Amino acid sequence: MVFYGQSPPPEVAVKGAEEWENSIVAFLVGKRLPGNNVKTVLERKWSQVGHFSIHVVGSGVFLEKFANGQARDWVLENGPWDVWGYHLAVRKWSKDMVMALEDCKTIPIWVKLTRIPVQYWTKLGLSYIASVLGKPLHMDANTTKRHALSFARVCIDMEATSTFPDNIVLELDDGTTTNIGVEYPWRPASCTLCKVFDHSNKTCPKAARREWMPKPVVLAQRKPDDAEGWITVKRKGSNQDQAQEHNCVEEPPLGEEQGPGKNEVRGRKL
């Protein structure tokens, strides 16, 4: 039996959101730890921001409430963070945001960009370059102040379906191109089948096994919403769909080397 209560007036939600506006949501990736353990570690690492409270939202998900926006932003801009070696992905809290790791289709990831032309060492220029990978969120203090121009560190909201390229080919205003190096101090496991970060393709419950099939057979069985390199088949004796990984090649694979430019993306013209 379900009871429907009276809808609260809009100002109730507005007032409640104001109370949490200086908060961040932290996702502990790869390990589930008790809230008290996480709190002890973060209180030590974030001691310089003053008092803050930690609230357990769910398994591996925590809401940290700070006294002011300056303290919150210091935590956001000085990552990446970890608890006992396990990555802690943090993002600014906003109303109606997803607060369960298994439902997260994007996650904040710190990226190191190298070989950036000097003329693009501006907030706007770096944002254009970073946007090739995802949605730029913020830069660290050294990047903002441009103390050193050898590399930039940018936190980017990246999708679980990302290929995580290690190179960006950027077209310049004179028609030439330049290569921007991309490094990931931490790269999460992601599942391109479920499009989430909670697990990898290898541990996905939808994945059955890896086997070679001729390319025409794979293409014939492929559905429009299948992830790249996978097809959905029916499990024997069941109506349940299950994904299988297949090598889409004309001949059985004998080992393949990754050629140059295979893991790169092209950027927009600046």
Side-chain angles (χ1 to χ4, degrees):
M1 183 178 294
V2 179
F3 293 93
Y4 293 91
Q6 184 179 1
S7 177
E11 56 266 24
V12 173
V14 173
K15 199 69 177 177
E18 290 177 354
E19 184 176 338
W20 297 95
E21 64 181 355
N22 295 324
S23 301
I24 63 173
V25 179
F27 301 90
L28 187 61
V29 184
K31 187 70 173 179
R32 300 294 184 261
L33 295 175
N36 287 337
N37 294 27
V38 174
K39 181 178 181 181
T40 300
V41 173
L42 295 185
E43 284 179 342
R44 184 178 70 251
K45 293 191 173 189
W46 299 347
S47 59
Q48 74 178 67
V49 304
H51 175 74
F52 62 92
S53 58
I54 297 181
H55 312 266
V56 180
V57 177
S59 180
V61 184
F62 307 89
L63 185 65
E64 289 84 9
K65 182 180 179 183
F66 298 89
N68 52 65
Q70 184 178 4
R72 175 203 61 203
D73 294 344
W74 182 90
V75 172
L76 291 173
E77 295 168 5
N78 283 276
W81 300 103
D82 71 275
V83 175
W84 294 355
Y86 296 100
H87 185 76
L88 192 74
V90 297
R91 65 171 62 188
K92 182 180 177 181
W93 175 84
S94 62
K95 189 174 64 174
D96 301 326
M97 71 178 292
V98 174
M99 298 180 72
L101 184 59
E102 60 269 20
D103 296 328
C104 284
K105 299 185 181 299
T106 64
I107 202 168
I109 298 174
W110 281 96
V111 174
K112 181 179 178 181
L113 303 174
T114 59
R115 303 191 299 272
I116 302 170
V118 174
Q119 63 268 33
Y120 299 121
W121 264 93
T122 63
K123 184 176 181 180
L124 182 60
L126 293 174
S127 294
Y128 267 100
I129 295 172
S131 65
V132 176
L133 304 173
K135 179 183 178 181
L137 299 177
H138 37 259
M139 300 177 286
D140 70 356
N142 288 334
T143 301
T144 303
K145 297 176 181 178
R146 294 181 281 195
H147 289 317
L149 303 184
S150 55
F151 65 88
R153 292 180 69 249
V154 184
C155 188
I156 304 173
D157 206 26
M158 298 185 65
E159 296 184 353
T161 54
S162 172
T163 58
F164 293 90
D166 52 25
N167 198 37
I168 297 174
V169 179
L170 198 64
E171 184 179 354
L172 306 179
D173 55 354
D174 60 359
T176 62
T177 60
T178 186
N179 292 324
I180 307 295
V182 183
E183 299 177 20
Y184 308 90
W186 172 79
R187 176 176 167 175
S190 61
C191 179
T192 56
L193 299 173
C194 302
K195 299 180 175 62
V196 296
F197 287 97
D198 187 53
H199 58 270
S200 65
N201 283 27
K202 291 183 178 180
T203 59
C204 179
K206 294 182 180 179
R209 64 186 183 277
R210 178 183 175 89
E211 65 179 46
W212 178 86
M213 293 179 66
K215 186 175 181 179
V217 176
V218 174
L219 295 178
Q221 297 185 31
R222 184 173 177 81
K223 298 179 180 179
D225 57 347
D226 283 342
E228 184 65 29
W230 297 77
I231 61 172
T232 303
V233 298
K234 292 287 186 182
R235 181 185 294 175
K236 291 183 179 180
S238 171
N239 291 324
Q240 182 178 355
D241 285 341
Q242 195 170 34
Q244 292 185 358
E245 185 179 6
H246 294 284
N247 293 299
C248 273
V249 292
E250 298 292 352
E251 300 295 336
L254 299 176
E256 178 183 17
E257 293 185 1
Q258 183 166 326
K262 201 166 186 179
N263 192 26
E264 66 182 21
V265 293
R266 299 192 68 87
R268 292 176 293 176
K269 182 176 180 180
L270 294 180

